[in-house]
Amino acid sequence: MATAARLPVVGPGARDLLRRAGALSPVLAVLALLLVPGGGGAEGGTGGTGTVADAASGLLVLVCLVRVARGGARPLTRTAAVVLGLPVLGICLAAITSNDPASSLPGVARYVQVFVLVPAAVLLTVRDRRDFAVVAWALVGLALLQGAVGVAQYLTGTGASYQGEDIRAVGTFGATDVMGMATVVSYGLVVVTGIALGSGPGRARTAALVCAGLLFLPLVLSFSRGAWIATVFACALQLLLAGPRRAARVALATGALGVVLVGGLGIGSDLVEERITSITRVTAAPDQSVTDRYTMWAAAGEMWRAEPLTGVGLKGFPRYRDAHASVALSSGSDTAGAGAGFRRQPLLSPHNMYLLVLSEQGLVGLLALAGSWTALLVGALRRRGGTGAGTGFGPGSGPGADCALVATGLLVWQLVDFFYADIGGPSTVLMAVVLGLAAWWSLVGARRA
């Protein structure tokens, strides 16, 4: 008598992973949909692009609200509610005092989405360190895919235009959002650095080192100076927090990798050297992009001096820019390549989040928003020595990622990058997810076994 064929039995570890993926599916959907090429331009400041990932973030918030209403998820603690809700004060005050409150309403929605609702929803959705690890590794997966597309663009000459050649790696974000892939890859590199420096299982740390090697090249080929600087700062802090001996080993390995990829193989070496050198030429012989940035920074400062407490209003920077900018400001930046034709991209923000908030929301808005971020960073640093902090997940307890190093690195990367960038473009919703992931560790995770 023939024996009936049996389906393979799914082990308990796989079942647990599937259950977690199901519970985290609203968050994972936001990450996955960032692979969908965006059709719109990347508006700076409070502008939005209306991508499918943005729609998925709205669904994430809705699902979280339903879970809370049904009692299936824990509510925010008082501290978490204050820290995450603090930006609302400056946002609403700037909208109310704006000379054109109606035009400020889209900015209110965007800021609340990015800095309040989505981070709070992620914080409520992540239940423990295993959930944290699933989202962190999903972020690494997204970075690897975007990085692979970016490297292919460089090798085949199908990337965004850079110095007359279509070689700039931008992933699926296109030429109008050249910071998109650089941001995603940087996040992934910071995550795997935290995992590699943590105390999790050896296989997880080995996998993290491999991923770091794979992500290094697309970050270099993004030619994004701001992303390079933020990544160096974040990873350097992670190395210091992990201890001097481990920091020295990883630093040597990273340096050797950079020499092989850029120096030995000659991948973009001349262009990379020129780009790095341009960082130090901000006063002697700056290029037009640097001149435009400093001009817009000065214009943002003038707007703040005109309205020091509440700013000129959300979405007010483009309206008041020409009245405060000098004649050194160009009409826009040129974008082309990556499947798009030549386009003159208008300069709608100062490309500095702190100055954007200061000019549009005034001192009250900047203190509220920066105060929330500072509280998250201080909490992440203080809780490094808390229960289970710095120990990874341990054998048999899920993917090995050190939550403290990952969360601290992500926060530091974002706060440093805000000196060179602001919100706008499809990758903005990913920043909201990252802030929520870091907020979970800072406000909740370190106290959970």
Side-chain angles (χ1 to χ4, degrees):
M1 184 174 179
T3 304
R6 294 183 178 181
L7 293 174
V9 178
V10 179
R15 285 199 298 268
D16 177 69
L17 183 60
L18 290 174
R19 284 196 300 268
R20 290 182 182 278
L24 295 169
S25 57
V27 179
L28 300 180
V30 177
L31 301 182
L33 290 174
L34 282 166
L35 290 168
V36 178
E43 292 186 37
T46 53
T49 55
T51 64
V52 289
D54 282 306
S57 73
L59 181 61
L60 164 64
V61 173
L62 181 61
V63 169
C64 186
L65 288 174
V66 171
R67 289 178 178 175
V68 170
R70 294 178 59 185
R74 57 176 175 76
L76 290 172
T77 63
R78 183 178 301 177
T79 301
V82 171
V83 172
L84 291 178
L86 189 59
V88 176
L89 173 64
I91 295 168
C92 293
L93 184 60
I96 293 172
T97 59
S98 171
N99 293 328
D100 189 0
S103 66
S104 295
L105 289 179
V108 173
R110 186 62 164 168
Y111 269 103
V112 172
Q113 172 207 7
V114 172
F115 295 116
V116 181
L117 293 180
V118 174
V122 173
L123 185 149
L124 289 168
T125 303
V126 174
R127 298 163 298 177
D128 53 31
R129 291 184 197 135
R130 295 184 185 181
D131 283 358
F132 184 101
V134 170
V135 178
W137 278 110
L139 180 57
V140 174
L142 172 65
L144 289 171
L145 291 173
Q146 288 286 359
V149 174
V151 172
Q153 289 171 334
Y154 174 84
L155 295 176
T156 59
T158 56
S161 178
Y162 179 75
Q163 294 190 354
E165 299 180 78
D166 293 344
I167 57 172
R168 189 169 190 175
V170 293
T172 63
F173 293 98
T176 56
D177 187 17
V178 294
M179 280 293 295
M181 189 214 72
T183 299
V184 174
V185 170
S186 298
Y187 285 152
L189 191 55
V190 170
V191 169
V192 295
T193 300
I195 297 173
L197 293 171
S199 303
R203 284 185 295 181
R205 296 201 305 271
T206 301
L209 287 173
V210 173
C211 292
L214 294 174
L215 292 173
F216 179 82
L217 184 57
L219 178 60
V220 170
L221 297 179
S222 70
F223 299 109
S224 173
R225 294 170 292 197
W228 292 350
I229 294 171
T231 303
V232 169
F233 268 90
C235 293
L237 178 62
Q238 288 176 312
L239 289 169
L240 290 175
L241 294 176
R245 286 188 297 179
R246 185 170 294 175
R249 290 198 299 269
V250 175
L252 287 174
T254 304
L257 179 64
V259 170
V260 171
L261 289 178
V262 179
L265 299 181
I267 300 178
S269 55
D270 294 337
L271 294 173
V272 171
E273 181 181 358
E274 189 278 333
R275 193 66 165 170
I276 293 175
T277 304
S278 70
I279 297 175
T280 63
R281 292 202 309 261
V282 294
T283 56
D287 57 32
Q288 186 58 48
S289 66
V290 174
T291 300
D292 287 340
R293 183 161 301 188
Y294 276 108
T295 304
M296 290 188 293
W297 286 5
E302 291 293 330
M303 293 179 202
W304 170 67
R305 280 186 280 274
E307 298 288 345
L309 288 180
T310 58
V312 298
L314 297 175
K315 299 196 73 174
F317 184 89
R319 293 200 307 272
Y320 292 93
R321 182 199 64 185
D322 293 340
H324 294 88
S326 71
V327 294
L329 182 66
S330 66
S331 60
S333 60
D334 297 338
T335 62
F342 176 83
R343 178 180 176 181
R344 191 72 172 166
Q345 190 79 5
L347 302 174
L348 302 178
S349 74
H351 296 292
N352 180 306
M353 191 67 203
Y354 304 106
L355 290 177
L356 175 65
V357 175
L358 190 64
S359 63
E360 294 190 343
Q361 301 181 39
L363 192 60
V364 174
L366 180 61
L367 289 177
L369 203 53
S372 175
W373 301 333
T374 302
L376 293 179
L377 181 58
V378 171
L381 289 171
R382 287 181 59 190
R383 289 175 172 84
R384 283 188 61 248
T387 304
T391 60
F393 294 112
S397 60
D402 191 302
C403 299
L405 290 174
V406 171
T408 303
L410 289 173
L411 281 172
V412 169
W413 188 94
Q414 194 60 67
L415 295 179
V416 173
D417 184 68
F418 274 157
F419 284 102
Y420 307 95
D422 48 51
I423 61 174
S427 59
T428 299
V429 70
L430 178 61
M431 182 199 69
V433 173
V434 165
L435 288 176
L437 196 63
W440 177 85
W441 171 255
S442 178
L443 299 171
V444 178
R447 297 190 293 271
R448 289 184 168 241

